[in-house]
Amino acid sequence: MGCDEMEVNRCEGALVMGCIFDIKRFAIHDGPGIRTTVFLKGCPLQCLWCHNPESISPHREMLFTPERCIICGACENVCPTGAHRFEDNQHIYERERCVVCGRCADVCHARALEIVGRNVTVADVMSEVEQDIPFYETSDGGLTISGGEPLMQLKFTEALLRVAKQRGLHTCLDTSGYADWNAFERILPLVDLFLYDIKFINDDQHRKWTGVSNARILQNLRQLVNAGANVTLRCPIIPTINDSNEHFRDLAELINELNAPLKCELLPYHRMAVPKYKRLGREYPLADIEIPSNEIVHGWLEQLRAMGVDAVVG
Ligand code: SF4
Ligand code: SF4
């Protein structure tokens, strides 16, 4: 395998554009083997525990890290809207004035100001992904598309998957499941493994904690399984929110009803995203929730396994 830039550019869809916020190389938790994970911006859900808060908005955003600021004043000089000012040796950034033009981030050498979200072509992404092909070959890894919800940028996701398959890569799609079935139908032949998030089976609880109904999520899951897709469920478990016996029972019932060899990866709650909320100027909504111990997580696994679920920690 291998492909130079001209070869990629000749692939159908190589010049389709999308908005991404990160490309993570050497990922080992986003599907089998060593993977390159491309994170797309935009998500229709607003899970309160979201560990990628910068993924939710489909638009570019500013990350401000005041601890890095050396008070050089360069940002104030270039900002067209007066969003930066300095008082008593303090840098005050007024987010509501900012139009995210990026000029201040361009001149901030201390990286106290950074824009999250960049527009790229499929060929741009593939030129990074292809650097890791030797690692995929030795580990049975490949490309994972994540987010956000990748199906919010269907044209880009489809084109990226198509080019990746043309290059012979293994592909995973990490999805909330919240999309039209037509979108799944279009990408179905291009995805080797769906990493499919299930947060709640109870719809009232799903609406309360994610902002949307789970009806189409569960319907799409059933249709994917019926279509013979390879699916791994990914289930964030958040203490006091969905670590109840009822949720585990509902989850096991769903999996058993689907009657397919589905692995269920539990994603225990963590707080690694807290600094990102601060840098985006947002409150972290779950500040009081404690990280579960290994014993507690083991108990969750045992509970699900006792009900016939092939549960592992993801
Ligand atoms: S350019 Fe960066 S380091 Fe300089 S004052 Fe602005 S935020 Fe601080
Ligand atoms: S991104 Fe543009 S508008 Fe926003 S603070 Fe920086 S220079 Fe000002």
Side-chain angles (χ1 to χ4, degrees):
M1 266 187 292
C3 157
D4 63 28
E5 197 177 335
M6 278 181 61
E7 239 180 302
V8 169
N9 281 335
R10 278 200 296 270
C11 295
E12 191 190 345
L15 299 181
V16 174
M17 295 211 65
C19 184
I20 68 170
F21 66 91
D22 200 9
I23 295 180
K24 185 167 80 179
R25 297 175 65 187
F26 310 112
I28 54 168
H29 296 293
D30 296 331
I34 296 172
R35 311 196 68 82
T36 306
T37 305
V38 181
F39 293 89
L40 275 59
K41 238 176 158 325
C43 185
L45 278 67
Q46 297 202 17
C47 307
L48 290 193
W49 52 84
C50 181
H51 63 278
N52 286 329
E54 73 276 44
S55 73
I56 294 173
S57 166
H59 306 296
R60 289 168 14 124
E61 292 172 278
M62 177 66 79
L63 294 173
F64 176 44
T65 314
E67 301 79 28
R68 291 185 190 158
C69 175
I70 54 171
I71 318 279
C72 69
C75 50
E76 186 181 26
N77 293 338
V78 296
C79 179
T81 65
H84 298 282
R85 62 192 165 84
F86 299 87
E87 283 177 15
D88 299 331
N89 226 24
Q90 293 275 318
H91 181 168
I92 296 162
Y93 164 54
E94 293 182 84
R95 198 172 282 275
E96 53 290 352
R97 284 176 174 249
C98 175
V99 294
V100 201
C101 70
R103 286 185 208 173
C104 59
D106 287 344
V107 298
C108 179
H109 301 300
R111 296 182 57 227
L113 296 162
E114 294 170 292
I115 297 288
V116 62
R118 60 189 162 111
N119 295 322
V120 292
T121 63
V122 165
D124 293 333
V125 173
M126 285 305 294
S127 69
E128 284 200 49
V129 168
E130 295 224 330
Q131 293 174 37
D132 293 338
I133 284 176
F135 302 103
Y136 309 154
E137 288 175 342
T138 54
S139 69
D140 291 330
L143 168 69
T144 296
I145 307 180
S146 183
E149 171 48 64
L151 295 179
M152 272 187 78
Q153 298 187 53
L154 178 59
K155 210 171 157 201
F156 179 70
T157 295
E158 184 181 15
L160 182 54
L161 287 167
R162 194 173 300 286
V163 173
K165 290 315 291 176
Q166 282 168 359
R167 306 311 302 161
L169 302 185
H170 181 275
T171 57
C172 284
L173 186 84
D174 184 9
T175 177
S176 67
Y178 195 86
D180 287 341
W181 172 247
N182 288 347
F184 280 101
E185 266 187 322
R186 273 171 58 174
I187 50 127
L188 190 52
L190 304 170
V191 177
D192 293 305
L193 174 64
F194 288 88
L195 304 174
Y196 202 100
D197 296 357
I198 294 290
K199 281 96 178 188
F200 265 107
I201 310 298
N202 179 300
D203 196 29
D204 291 337
Q205 293 294 316
H206 200 279
R207 286 172 193 266
K208 176 178 175 185
W209 296 103
T210 73
V212 301
S213 165
N214 65 9
R216 61 171 21 180
I217 295 172
L218 297 179
Q219 180 62 23
N220 286 335
L221 175 61
R222 290 188 175 95
Q223 288 187 247
L224 273 182
V225 170
N226 287 340
N230 193 9
V231 178
T232 289
L233 298 183
R234 305 243 278 186
C235 306
I237 303 295
I238 318 300
T240 74
I241 293 181
N242 69 352
D243 62 339
S244 64
N245 292 338
E246 290 75 18
H247 178 56
F248 290 129
R249 184 202 60 213
D250 290 350
L251 194 53
E253 277 178 9
L254 172 75
I255 293 170
N256 291 329
E257 170 212 314
L258 288 168
N259 198 22
L262 297 185
K263 195 198 283 179
C264 175
E265 291 186 355
L266 299 189
L267 308 176
Y269 172 73
H270 62 73
R271 288 168 169 273
M272 283 186 276
V274 173
K276 284 197 271 189
Y277 279 82
K278 281 194 190 144
R279 294 168 72 203
L280 286 163
R282 293 189 207 148
E283 288 282 321
Y284 182 64
L286 301 183
D288 297 334
I289 292 189
E290 301 217 350
I291 297 169
S293 65
N294 288 342
E295 289 72 30
I296 288 174
V297 173
H298 190 254
W300 295 341
L301 287 175
E302 290 303 307
Q303 206 173 336
L304 283 165
R305 287 171 182 164
M307 292 185 278
V309 175
D310 179 11
V312 295
V313 174

